[in-house]
Amino acid sequence: DSGVTQTPKHLITATGQRVTLRCSPRSGDLSVYWYQQSLDQGLQFLIQYYNGEERAKGNILERFSAQQFPDLHSELNLSSLELGDSALYFCASSGTGKSWTEAFFGQGTRLTVV
Amino acid sequence: AQKVTQAQTEISVVEKEDVTLDCVYETRDTTYYLFWYKQPPSGELVFLIRRNSFDEQNEISGRYSWNFQKSTSSFNFTITASQVVDSAVYFCALSDLSSGSARQLTFGSGTQLTVLP
């Protein structure tokens, strides 16, 4: 168990809808990362938050947004969903000092858009 | 920009054989970190190892070993005496400082390892 919790594990929704994925980082970790794993693009970085502030953006679509709350949990919001958004979405967290270099991943949320 | 290449898309071996998974990386930074993750059929990403760019010592952990060579920008992963439970997709990843203080990982495309009984 990595200590990173993602909910829900599975999500099926229709095109055009909006969903929210939730991530609770490991205790004490200030950084949260979101990644998307799709057949077309592989595993790619979407966005990072550090202690509530956006730190870095990757290949994240404008229809997607994220935030990190004061209790450090994070949510990834996906809107106007398309079939191509079907993917496995991972959250990872890392700490400070030596531990920042190890990113621990949650079990992922499998999103299916129909 | 950083890049990670795993040229082997799929590998099949028979149980007890040794297998090496290749990873070649590109980065302009002198300080960077390399990782290997395992993704079993259940889908989670399991951290296996982290190596920083200043430590070129090879590492062995049980049946797993890693060979880091800066001269060839490679970080290869060997499983000795493979077992059926080793069947998974293995990802090599890189984290460098090109993105400032951010620490996101750049992943390779993964190698699907199948170990046959």
Side-chain angles (χ1 to χ4, degrees):
Chain A
D1 184 0
S2 67
V4 179
T5 303
Q6 288 188 249
T7 56
K9 289 187 179 178
H10 301 276
L11 200 49
I12 301 176
T13 190
T15 54
Q17 295 298 305
R18 172 189 168 95
V19 297
T20 297
L21 312 184
R22 181 188 170 101
C23 169
S24 294
R26 291 189 317 153
S27 177
D29 283 356
L30 300 179
S31 278
V32 169
Y33 311 76
W34 287 96
Y35 290 83
Q36 179 195 59
Q37 184 178 24
S38 64
L39 287 176
D40 293 342
Q41 302 294 327
L43 257 169
Q44 59 176 357
F45 167 72
L46 295 178
I47 196 164
Q48 178 200 1
Y49 277 81
Y50 177 81
N51 202 20
E53 294 188 1
E54 182 183 301
R55 178 62 64 91
K57 260 186 176 180
N59 298 322
I60 187 167
L61 300 172
E62 285 191 10
R63 300 183 285 108
F64 296 0
S65 65
Q67 54 185 330
Q68 185 179 26
F69 296 86
D71 66 352
L72 301 178
H73 91 271
S74 178
E75 293 181 354
L76 179 67
N77 300 296
L78 316 176
S79 62
S80 302
L81 285 167
E82 302 174 359
L83 295 177
D85 297 327
S86 296
L88 190 51
Y89 291 85
F90 285 104
C91 169
S93 74
S94 65
T96 56
K98 285 185 179 180
S99 65
W100 71 259
T101 55
E102 295 177 10
F104 293 89
F105 284 79
Q107 298 217 330
T109 293
R110 186 170 295 279
L111 173 66
T112 303
V113 182
V114 297
Chain B
Q2 63 272 45
K3 183 179 179 182
V4 177
T5 301
Q6 294 180 256
Q8 305 152 308
T9 304
E10 297 181 20
I11 300 177
S12 283
V13 298
V14 177
E15 203 169 22
K16 296 184 183 177
E17 287 184 351
D18 299 347
V19 58
T20 295
L21 309 182
D22 297 334
C23 173
V24 174
Y25 62 92
E26 295 177 27
T27 176
R28 294 179 183 174
D29 287 332
T30 56
T31 301
Y32 52 89
Y33 292 82
L34 295 163
F35 301 76
W36 276 93
Y37 286 88
K38 173 182 179 180
Q39 187 175 41
S42 51
E44 72 271 25
L45 282 169
V46 179
F47 168 81
L48 295 178
I49 190 172
R50 165 184 55 87
R51 172 66 82 214
N52 74 57
S53 53
F54 297 107
D55 183 0
E56 287 195 70
Q57 279 191 337
N58 291 331
E59 182 157 340
I60 298 175
S61 176
R63 296 184 297 107
Y64 295 169
S65 62
W66 291 270
N67 183 0
F68 176 32
Q69 293 195 338
K70 285 179 76 170
S71 60
T72 57
S73 297
S74 65
F75 186 43
N76 297 336
F77 173 32
T78 298
I79 302 174
T80 58
S82 59
Q83 300 176 1
V84 172
V85 293
D86 295 327
S87 297
V89 180
Y90 290 86
F91 291 95
C92 180
L94 166 72
S95 173
D96 63 16
L97 299 181
S98 62
S99 50
S101 59
R103 296 287 182 261
Q104 68 265 30
L105 298 171
T106 298
F107 284 88
S109 54
T111 298
Q112 169 72 61
L113 173 65
T114 302
V115 181
L116 303 169

